[in-house]
Amino acid sequence: MTVPRVVVIGAGVVGAAVADELAARGWTDVTVLDRGLLPLPGGSSSHAPGLVFQTNPSSTMTGFARYTVEKLAALDGAWCFNPVGGLELATTPERFADLRRRHGLATSWGIASRLVDPGECAALHPLVDPARVLGGFHTPSDGLAKAPRAVAAQLARAVDRGARVLGGQRVCEVLSDRGRVSGVRTEHGDIPADVVVSATGFWGPRTGALVDLVVPLLPMAHQYVTTTPVAALAGRNTEAAEAGLPILRHQDRDLYVREHVDRLGVGSYAHRPMPVDLDALPVTGMPSVLPFTPEDFAPSWADARDLLPALRTAEIDTGFNGVFSFTPDGMPLLGEHPGLRGFWVAEAVWVTHSCGVGRALARWLVEGEPGVDVHECDLNRFEDAQLAPSYVEIRSARNFVEVYDVLHPLEPPRRPRPLRVSPFHSRQVELGAVFLEGAGWERPHWFAANAALPEVGRIPGRGEWASRFWSPIVGAEALVTRDRVAMFDMTPLKRLEVTGPGALDLLQRLTTNDLDRKPGAVTYTLMLEPSGGIRGDLTVARLGEQHFQVGANGSLDLDRLRRDAGPDVAVRDVTGGTCCIGLWGPRARDVLASVSRDDVSHAAFGYFRARRIHVGGVPVTALRLSYVGELGWELYAGADVGLRLWDVLWDAGQRHGVIAAGRSAFNSLRLEKGYRSAGLDMTTEHDPYEAGLGFAVRPGSYVGAAALVGRETPQRRLVPLILDDPAHVVLGKEPVFHAGVCAGHVTSAAYGYTIDASIAYAWLPAAAAEPGTPVQVEYFGDRLPAVVAAEPLFDPEMKRIRA
């Protein structure tokens, strides 16, 4: 087999990792180029402080960091990783509570860690004043990465296998032929290539511009200083080892600290955001190192001296403002250009995650999939509205400011909002909607207008953390949905239109269920990786012989369908031009029948069927299905008539007790029914049988089918837990213990207002997943008793939804 020719643009820690991992897998025709002079071409890797804290709310990012630690520690030669451990400190009760939560995350993702008291903090790091801290979070396997050495060592291994590395090579053009990469043009000539990987760090937007690709990152300056010698460190470290004490995070003051032999390095995120204009950077030397601005660092220096009294006799020796990358959601950018085959990016990656990213990208190229769930990092995850320069700048700067903040998982950004609104937005505002945000959409989570509902008084309280971005109104909205009828704004649901002679073949080839059914059929199906992992789930309505409406999860589903579509298929995103109301509850048929001349009886309009009807004169595509487990319809219409659709249903529903209900009630109702959320409950790291979705799998030759053979009896399962105490409401990602050992983690959780119990879905080994098995969920350091339950928890006979 011919080995593909690969050009990696960027000889920093990410480009080096990609080249090394590709060469290790037999792709040895790799050329690494950098505009700077080697061995330190001037990117962020040249000055990175190298602190590696592995624990992250994302299991994928934690896995990237874990592999980076393992790989760098095993490289030959002078050390590339020094496992001094990591110590995160708390000086406020809120921070110490957050460290308990972080300890839970580490446990869920398999990182050994422990919570320590002030005395232990001082014992681990004698420079810490124990009187200033309430406790800490210690991870023994964290430590220091020597980025320049890591680059050199990985490039040397790649060269030993056949790669070449060239400095002083500015790429000025990416060559292509019929929609596919064919090479790059440098100032010194052309280099042919079948694959080009952009690993240019903060230069990423410039590289992307060569191929008309928006690379949504913002170069930012970040301050770092090195002190004069610290008396307390004299004689502790050799020049070779550099450090022996744990790396520190003082997140209450946005600081981190490490040793440099007998000095300390201190980095700060406390200063104002400092976006960097790439046009103002020099093209030679060290463009990532900007002049130090001491006035910005002065408050942080005072905070560092307060925490570490030994610094009071030291001064700042040197400092700089180093340039690195932030993205709108704080995650890396990995994946292939949506319109140019063979052009890949690996941008906005810190040293901490570099080797893990390099391995994932190499696997993606060589094996066809990255081997881990990367949906949070995929280049193509953003909506078009999120790629506007102003959006990228505002959100990326916000991520810099909040990098060490205690953030609730539901906490929405404040700007720029509102960005995307449904046609019903004005009516929702009138009803006192409390909006959170997702994919740029304003999404009502509950409505103040429902505060007077008598059901509010039946809703139990919950703990402080779980009470944030929640109201007892949520429970009332869920109960009214079960008892009467509610209108849910489902407009943000991604809607695709797949049409043409090849539409059916495309969907049959990419999904697991049989879509070759008569027009009017609605089918739940899955898209898989070749290895059988779940990329996403789809609800597909066949509206005509060559016309399908696809309810998808987001832009990644759109990207997948477009990549595989031939010239005889059109795949369109129709979300922005349409809207959707979920009309659900026992009285939903009464409401709909009163405003439509079409027959919506069960006999005429059965479950999982689609029809075009008129509602108060509004043409509607109606799908008889429900993600909340109640009788009802998803009603789709053009955005231009959306407000009338809302008003018609709202007016007709008054005599039936209709309310508007939000996403929080929706989430509770779906968990009572056991409906999965792709990307949250299941990812490419889980197969359909493990996820309890074997009913959506047919025999066939679709992507992933061969990998599922023989896996019908899974070794792990996604199962519901019921917590013993109804006051215990968790939020997701908490570790689950069985027989005293961490056996899995929570995916989704909510209070089930209909069943009057706290629900948590979790992944567990099959032996621990049988109903009745006692388990414990660790929540902020406490082990909460729970039991595995049989699903669905509500209406197992499906009588209500099929009424």
Side-chain angles (χ1 to χ4, degrees):
M1 184 182 73
T2 303
V3 175
R5 301 164 298 178
V6 181
V7 167
V8 178
I9 310 174
V13 72
V14 179
V18 170
D20 182 38
E21 296 287 342
L22 284 173
R25 286 164 175 77
W27 281 29
T28 55
D29 190 350
V30 176
T31 302
V32 181
L33 305 176
D34 203 291
R35 65 190 298 164
L37 300 179
L38 303 177
L40 294 177
S44 301
S45 301
S46 303
H47 63 73
L51 287 79
V52 177
F53 292 95
Q54 297 169 86
T55 302
N56 189 288
S58 164
S59 62
T60 297
M61 296 296 280
T62 302
F64 285 163
R66 181 194 295 112
Y67 180 70
T68 299
V69 166
E70 293 169 354
K71 181 178 181 180
L72 295 186
L75 290 176
D76 294 334
W79 68 267
C80 292
F81 184 78
N82 185 355
V84 294
L87 181 60
E88 303 183 34
L89 302 172
T91 59
T92 64
E94 183 182 29
R95 179 66 62 184
F96 197 48
D98 191 58
L99 294 186
R100 293 191 185 99
R101 187 170 67 99
R102 287 180 60 75
H103 172 63
L105 289 169
T107 304
S108 290
W109 313 145
I111 301 292
S113 66
R114 63 190 181 106
L115 296 167
V116 294
D117 62 28
E120 291 176 287
C121 290
L124 288 164
H125 201 300
L127 274 63
V128 171
D129 180 0
R132 287 282 294 113
V133 302
L134 301 179
F137 166 55
H138 181 230
T139 306
S141 58
D142 287 347
L144 288 167
K146 193 76 167 177
R149 282 186 195 156
V151 170
Q154 292 179 94
L155 288 178
R157 298 203 321 179
V159 169
D160 286 346
R161 294 186 175 108
R164 61 176 179 159
V165 184
L166 304 175
Q169 298 273 342
R170 185 175 72 87
V171 174
C172 49
E173 186 178 349
V174 175
L175 307 175
S176 63
D177 179 32
R178 287 173 291 184
R180 183 164 196 93
V181 160
S182 61
V184 300
R185 177 163 295 156
T186 76
E187 294 169 325
H188 303 285
D190 294 353
I191 301 174
D194 304 298
V195 174
V196 173
V197 178
S198 174
T200 55
F202 60 79
W203 296 109
R206 283 284 184 81
T207 312
L210 297 176
V211 290
D212 296 321
L213 175 68
V214 176
V215 177
L217 66 81
L218 181 66
M220 302 277 286
H222 164 61
Q223 293 195 297
Y224 188 79
V225 304
T226 304
T227 71
T228 57
V230 178
L233 294 179
R236 289 190 66 99
N237 302 308
T238 65
E239 291 284 345
E242 293 188 25
L245 297 177
I247 53 177
L248 289 181
R249 268 180 173 166
H250 180 20
Q251 296 172 115
D252 289 319
R253 289 294 182 268
D254 296 311
L255 297 175
Y256 61 82
V257 181
R258 59 155 292 181
E259 292 174 282
H260 291 282
V261 190
D262 61 348
R263 303 165 186 249
L264 288 180
V266 182
S268 171
Y269 292 98
H271 56 79
R272 61 189 169 89
M274 300 179 188
V276 174
D277 179 4
L278 293 179
D279 289 332
L281 295 181
V283 296
T284 59
M286 198 65 69
S288 63
V289 177
L290 304 180
F292 184 57
T293 51
E295 66 277 9
D296 290 306
F297 197 80
S300 295
W301 180 240
D303 290 333
R305 284 177 150 184
D306 187 46
L307 177 72
L308 307 172
L311 281 181
R312 294 170 191 170
T313 59
E315 301 295 337
I316 295 174
D317 185 26
T318 62
F320 64 91
N321 293 0
V323 184
F324 66 154
S325 307
F326 271 80
T327 60
D329 58 6
M331 300 295 281
L333 304 169
L334 312 177
E336 189 180 22
H337 192 308
L340 180 60
R341 298 296 174 93
F343 187 89
W344 291 72
V345 303
E347 306 289 19
V349 180
W350 295 3
V351 173
T352 299
H353 311 105
S354 57
C355 295
V357 165
R359 180 174 67 169
L361 194 68
R363 285 175 167 175
W364 211 341
L365 287 166
V366 177
E367 302 166 18
E369 56 185 288
V372 294
D373 169 38
V374 294
H375 82 275
E376 298 169 299
C377 311
D378 196 301
L379 167 71
N380 298 295
R381 66 189 181 269
F382 296 101
E383 299 288 329
D384 286 346
Q386 296 175 299
L387 296 175
S390 59
Y391 183 96
V392 173
E393 291 164 8
I394 291 170
R395 288 294 172 90
S396 299
R398 168 185 176 267
N399 274 305
F400 177 90
V401 171
E402 296 180 347
V403 68
Y404 279 170
D405 288 1
V406 176
L407 296 175
H408 193 278
L410 294 177
E411 189 164 345
R414 295 178 177 85
R415 299 175 58 230
R417 291 178 62 191
L419 181 63
R420 308 175 80 188
V421 298
S422 79
F424 325 129
H425 185 258
S426 61
R427 297 292 186 263
Q428 294 164 346
V429 171
E430 292 168 2
L431 292 170
V434 175
F435 293 98
L436 301 186
E437 190 240 38
W441 287 100
E442 294 296 312
R443 310 187 80 169
H445 274 243
W446 68 87
F447 292 86
N450 295 326
L453 290 170
E455 290 86 352
V456 172
R458 295 162 48 188
I459 306 307
R462 52 176 66 187
E464 190 276 334
W465 185 252
S467 293
R468 298 186 189 184
F469 306 100
W470 174 84
S471 165
I473 295 171
V474 169
E477 292 175 359
L479 292 175
V480 170
T481 304
R482 292 273 187 244
D483 293 341
R484 301 197 296 275
V485 62
M487 291 165 55
F488 292 80
D489 183 359
M490 302 302 291
T491 300
L493 174 71
K494 177 69 76 174
R495 287 176 295 286
L496 310 177
E497 187 178 76
V498 182
T499 57
L504 176 62
D505 180 65
L506 171 70
L507 293 169
Q508 290 283 75
R509 190 170 71 250
L510 291 184
T511 73
T512 60
N513 216 332
D514 186 8
L515 303 179
D516 190 6
R517 305 180 186 194
K518 293 181 179 179
V522 180
T523 307
Y524 178 80
T525 188
L526 306 169
M527 284 200 297
L528 306 180
E529 291 278 40
S531 61
I534 300 171
R535 285 183 58 103
D537 61 346
L538 307 174
T539 302
V540 181
R542 190 169 194 179
L543 304 180
E545 288 295 329
Q546 299 180 10
H547 185 186
F548 296 83
Q549 177 176 299
V550 178
N553 291 287
S555 295
L556 296 183
D557 293 336
L558 171 63
D559 180 64
R560 175 64 182 273
L561 289 170
R562 280 181 169 168
R563 286 181 187 278
D564 282 81
D568 58 349
V569 184
V571 180
R572 296 176 55 239
D573 181 356
V574 298
T575 311
T578 57
C579 60
C580 178
I581 294 173
L583 181 70
W584 293 314
R587 301 184 190 175
R589 181 176 286 119
D590 297 330
V591 175
L592 189 59
S594 71
V595 290
S596 178
R597 298 181 183 180
D598 297 280
D599 187 352
V600 294
S601 67
H602 181 68
F605 201 152
Y607 184 56
F608 257 65
R609 300 293 298 173
R611 284 177 53 195
R612 290 190 173 92
I613 64 174
H614 286 84
V615 177
V618 176
V620 167
T621 298
L623 274 58
R624 170 94 188 271
L625 52 88
S626 167
Y627 204 51
V628 302
E630 290 295 330
L631 167 68
W633 287 263
E634 290 180 358
L635 304 172
Y636 297 90
D640 57 334
V641 291
L643 189 58
R644 173 164 175 78
L645 177 63
W646 178 280
D647 288 343
V648 166
L649 292 170
W650 183 258
D651 292 344
Q654 294 307 302
R655 63 191 290 259
H656 300 286
V658 73
I659 65 165
R663 293 289 300 180
S664 292
F666 178 91
N667 193 51
S668 168
L669 295 165
R670 79 156 179 99
L671 286 179
E672 288 182 331
K673 284 298 295 179
Y675 295 146
R676 277 59 168 152
S677 177
L680 186 62
D681 296 316
M682 56 196 186
T683 71
T684 56
E685 297 178 16
H686 312 103
D687 72 39
Y689 298 112
E690 294 173 326
L693 299 176
F695 66 87
V697 175
R698 77 181 195 275
S701 57
Y702 51 86
V703 174
L708 295 181
V709 175
R711 290 161 66 171
E712 293 82 358
T713 304
Q715 299 302 304
R716 59 177 176 172
R717 290 167 49 202
L718 180 64
V719 293
L721 314 179
I722 297 296
L723 281 80
D724 288 7
D725 187 341
H728 291 158
V729 179
V730 301
L731 294 180
K733 303 187 179 182
E734 296 85 1
V736 179
F737 288 79
H738 175 248
V741 176
C742 181
H745 69 274
V746 173
T747 59
S748 297
Y751 196 82
Y753 301 101
T754 316
I755 66 172
D756 200 20
S758 182
I759 306 167
Y761 264 77
W763 283 101
L764 288 173
E770 291 301 318
T773 304
V775 295
Q776 293 176 311
V777 180
E778 184 179 304
Y779 185 64
F780 286 90
D782 296 326
R783 301 276 181 93
L784 309 180
V787 64
V788 178
E791 62 175 346
L793 302 170
F794 175 76
D795 189 25
E797 296 86 12
M798 300 283 285
K799 292 180 179 179
R800 297 172 71 96
I801 204 168
R802 298 178 184 274

